[in-house]
């Protein structure tokens, strides 16, 4: 019987302490379920969708309950814009600029290619630019807070 390695030491069947890796290795399939061959929803995409839903719900709660205002349409527009332009496009452009600048030679072919990545810092920079654009377009103070969305 093999026991789980905790803090780099494992007790095997003979109860002698042995060194093991402190890192957790997994064999998790990136696809939740397969529709056809290698096509199907992925865990990474599910995490993005759940984050956007939680962001929409939290911002709506802050705007309606805590701030006592009702900007339902503006909250939806703001979260959708942040998700699409800030996180997805910013994250993709960040990946291209920071990690794969050779993809700029054929931008339309490489930008839509499956199996490529996104960068979190590119998504944050995209969010920064989108919130600045949104604030200027709707004549709001920047940085945007839930009180200014109304």
């Amino acid at each position: 019987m093999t026991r789980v390695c905790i803090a780099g030491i494992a007790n095997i069947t003979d109860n002698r302490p042995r060194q093991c890796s402190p890192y957790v290795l997994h064999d998790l399939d990136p696809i939740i379920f397969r529709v056809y061959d290698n096509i199907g929803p992925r865990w990474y995409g599910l995490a993005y969708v759940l984050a956007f839903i939680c962001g929409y719900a939290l911002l709506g709660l802050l705007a309606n309950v805590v701030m006592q205002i009702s900007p339902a349409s503006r909250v939806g527009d703001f979260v959708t814009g942040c998700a699409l332009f800030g996180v997805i496009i910013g994250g993709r452009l960040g990946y291209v600029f920071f990690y794969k600048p050779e993809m700029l030679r054929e931008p339309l072919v490489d930008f839509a290619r499956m199996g490529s990545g996104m960068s979190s810092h590119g998504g944050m920079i995209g969010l920064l630019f989108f919130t600045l654009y949104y604030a200027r377009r709707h004549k709001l103070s920047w940085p945007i807070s839930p009180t200014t969305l109304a």
Side-chain angles (χ1 to χ4, degrees):
M1 176 178 175
T2 304
R3 296 183 184 165
V4 177
C5 177
I6 299 173
I9 298 175
N11 288 329
I12 311 298
T13 55
D14 58 4
N15 289 329
R16 288 189 328 214
R18 299 183 188 192
Q19 292 293 327
C20 65
S21 175
Y23 301 104
V24 176
L25 299 175
H26 65 82
D27 189 22
L28 184 67
D29 189 10
I31 298 176
I32 300 171
F33 61 88
R34 296 180 192 284
V35 176
Y36 176 77
D37 192 28
N38 206 19
I39 299 172
R42 298 177 185 268
W43 291 108
Y44 193 67
L46 179 65
Y48 269 107
V49 169
L50 290 176
F52 296 141
I53 290 171
C54 289
Y56 177 79
L58 184 62
L59 191 56
L61 179 73
L62 284 174
N64 290 328
V65 176
V66 177
M67 307 300 177
Q68 311 246 324
I69 54 178
S70 181
S73 64
R74 284 216 176 161
V75 169
D77 292 345
F78 181 70
V79 171
T80 303
C82 283
L84 181 62
F85 297 109
V87 175
I88 296 175
I89 294 176
R92 186 71 175 127
L93 286 174
Y95 176 78
V96 170
F97 287 127
F98 295 128
Y99 298 110
K100 300 280 186 182
E102 64 272 6
M103 291 174 71
L104 293 171
R105 289 186 214 124
E106 297 179 38
L108 295 178
V109 174
D110 289 330
F111 192 77
R113 183 172 38 166
M114 295 289 288
S116 295
M118 293 176 66
S119 69
S120 59
H121 45 284
M124 287 185 269
I125 293 169
L127 279 173
L128 178 85
F129 282 122
F130 177 76
T131 56
L132 181 62
Y133 163 77
Y134 189 88
R136 289 203 178 174
R137 183 163 190 261
H138 293 285
K139 297 176 178 65
L140 303 171
S141 64
W142 191 83
I144 295 175
S145 69
T147 57
T148 61
L149 286 176

